[in-house]
Amino acid sequence: MLPAVRIDYEEEIHRLRREMNAVILAHYYQEDEIQDLADYVGDSLDLARRAARTEADVIVFCGVRFMAEGAKILNPEKLVLVPDMKAGCSLEESCPPEAFRQFKEQYSDHMVVTYINCSAEIKAMSDIIVTSSNAESIIRQIPADRKIIFAPDKYLGAYLVKKTGRDMVLWNGSCIVHERFSEQELVRLKTRHPQACIIAHPECPEQLLRHAVHIGSTSSLIRFSEQHAGGEFIVLTEPGILHEMKKRSPGSIFHDVPGVSGGTCVSCNSCPYMKLNSLEKIYHCMINRAPAITLSDELMKRARLPLEKMLEMSAAKPV
Ligand code: SF4
């Protein structure tokens, strides 16, 4: 029997990246080893900006499928690879296109502002896309007399209603990760670590956000912990973010918050979709040049307009 050939995935990915003129983009919620290997690590807005201006021929997107679709929409001529096509998103699934089309018809005089965590079909039905980094700034730029539908995240929507004072109609969607953090565990952690300050992503429900001293996008939470280096933090978002936080502030102490146990999952604070990716799958998608994102030209054309609008409005008011 021939000895099994061991592949050094990291080395092979570096080789393929050079040979293919590929760029590897990774979200902060990816496994540590993927973040360490990527050319750029960021939140949805950072990665959309990187994708929009890359000169690489191939984009390897280590995140979830809707993010890779966004990269394809902004770069229709490029090959956009995903390590695992099953990397979906519960928030995206909570907003099916046909149901949203009917919902939108009920509010035909409203403009549609959509969080980037949605399918290409929903993007195509939107007027402006936002991320958690730029949502507040973009909504403030919309004339006060324009009525707004905000989709798909009801918690981010409710947070933005509170921050901006805009009375928006909210789609009833949510993310399983942020929705399932346990308030009881949060309070328990805070009691055990009274010096720690709670920082939270606005996809969390209001009963969790009210405990936080700082609320913001993943990039904003990382910046906040860096600005308060040496501190202690209880972090209410997907725990993949702690890798970058620890790298930037090695002297700080970070605690992630357990989720509410249920089903087969004891601690549901990790995104099951983000964690589908692995070095092995990255290697295989690069060597096979598949799976790749494919979308119709017509869909990409319609979805590109609100995405470009977001990039334009974010540039107008830096976030
Ligand atoms: S953390 Fe939530 S919103 Fe983000 S990809 Fe996972 S399921 Fe979707």
Side-chain angles (χ1 to χ4, degrees):
M1 204 167 92
L2 291 170
V5 181
R6 291 200 39 172
I7 300 173
D8 183 331
Y9 290 117
E10 227 170 289
E11 204 178 294
E12 282 299 296
I13 291 166
H14 286 307
R15 177 181 67 78
L16 288 166
R17 172 166 41 195
R18 283 192 304 274
E19 286 176 12
M20 298 166 80
N21 186 26
V23 64
I24 302 177
L25 305 180
H27 192 271
Y28 286 126
Y29 295 168
Q30 290 293 286
E31 298 285 8
D32 299 357
E33 57 190 11
I34 297 178
Q35 293 190 43
D36 290 341
L37 175 123
D39 294 293
Y40 301 106
V41 186
D43 66 7
S44 303
L45 180 60
D46 300 328
L47 297 179
R49 280 175 167 155
R50 290 285 177 192
R53 59 173 186 246
T54 185
E55 287 182 358
D57 297 319
V58 178
I59 298 172
V60 181
F61 212 114
C62 304
V64 292
R65 207 177 43 236
F66 76 77
M67 296 176 174
E69 284 180 355
K72 180 72 181 174
I73 290 164
L74 292 167
N75 295 280
E77 76 294 348
K78 292 191 197 295
L79 179 66
V80 178
L81 299 171
V82 287
D84 192 324
M85 203 50 113
K86 290 191 290 300
C89 166
S90 61
L91 186 48
E92 173 189 344
E93 283 165 19
S94 71
C95 192
E98 182 48 31
F100 187 68
R101 192 187 57 73
Q102 289 172 21
F103 178 77
K104 200 182 142 180
E105 273 171 16
Q106 293 172 42
Y107 302 97
S108 53
D109 57 341
H110 287 52
M111 67 183 292
V112 179
V113 177
T114 308
Y115 187 33
I116 199 164
N117 298 25
C118 64
S119 64
E121 288 85 356
I122 298 293
K123 287 186 176 77
M125 284 187 247
S126 307
D127 294 297
I128 309 176
I129 306 297
V130 297
T131 69
S132 48
S133 292
N134 60 24
E136 184 184 340
S137 155
I138 287 181
I139 289 167
R140 288 190 191 281
Q141 292 174 61
I142 298 171
D145 59 346
R146 293 298 308 271
K147 295 180 188 164
I148 300 173
I149 292 175
F150 185 85
D153 191 298
K154 62 180 172 185
Y155 298 121
L156 176 60
Y159 170 73
L160 291 167
V161 166
K162 209 167 148 188
K163 285 291 278 188
T164 63
R166 296 295 290 261
D167 183 20
M168 302 190 291
V169 176
L170 306 181
W171 176 263
N172 186 18
S174 59
C175 152
I176 49 166
V177 177
H178 291 87
E179 189 168 47
R180 299 194 72 188
F181 284 121
S182 159
E183 188 182 9
Q184 196 182 2
E185 292 294 341
L186 177 66
V187 172
R188 212 174 277 164
L189 260 177
K190 179 70 182 166
T191 310
R192 278 208 302 270
H193 307 282
Q195 302 305 322
C197 62
I198 298 172
I199 57 177
H201 193 281
E203 280 178 34
C204 294
E206 162 62 20
Q207 75 266 21
L208 294 164
L209 292 182
R210 67 192 165 93
H211 296 277
V213 295
H214 178 73
I215 300 169
S217 65
T218 43
S219 291
S220 165
L221 299 183
I222 291 168
R223 272 198 307 275
F224 183 87
S225 64
E226 201 176 7
Q227 283 158 4
H228 299 82
E232 187 171 357
F233 304 90
I234 296 172
V235 185
L236 267 169
T237 192
E238 214 277 354
I241 195 176
L242 300 188
H243 184 57
E244 183 68 19
M245 286 177 161
K246 286 175 185 167
K247 272 205 316 209
R248 294 205 200 178
S249 314
S252 297
I253 300 168
F254 297 98
H255 308 279
D256 62 328
V257 183
V260 181
S261 59
T264 54
C265 175
V266 181
S267 175
C268 303
N269 68 358
S270 282
C271 174
Y273 306 99
M274 288 277 184
K275 299 300 192 268
L276 283 175
N277 296 331
S278 63
L279 292 186
E280 188 179 348
K281 289 180 187 173
I282 296 172
Y283 165 75
H284 284 293
C285 82
M286 291 177 85
I287 202 121
N288 297 325
R289 297 178 77 85
I293 298 289
T294 53
L295 298 166
S296 76
D297 288 345
E298 198 270 332
L299 180 60
M300 284 197 280
K301 197 172 157 199
R302 286 192 293 124
R304 195 174 308 123
L305 291 174
L307 265 175
E308 286 178 346
K309 186 87 188 149
M310 170 187 84
L311 295 173
E312 183 194 312
M313 289 179 84
S314 307
K317 291 235 168 165
V319 285

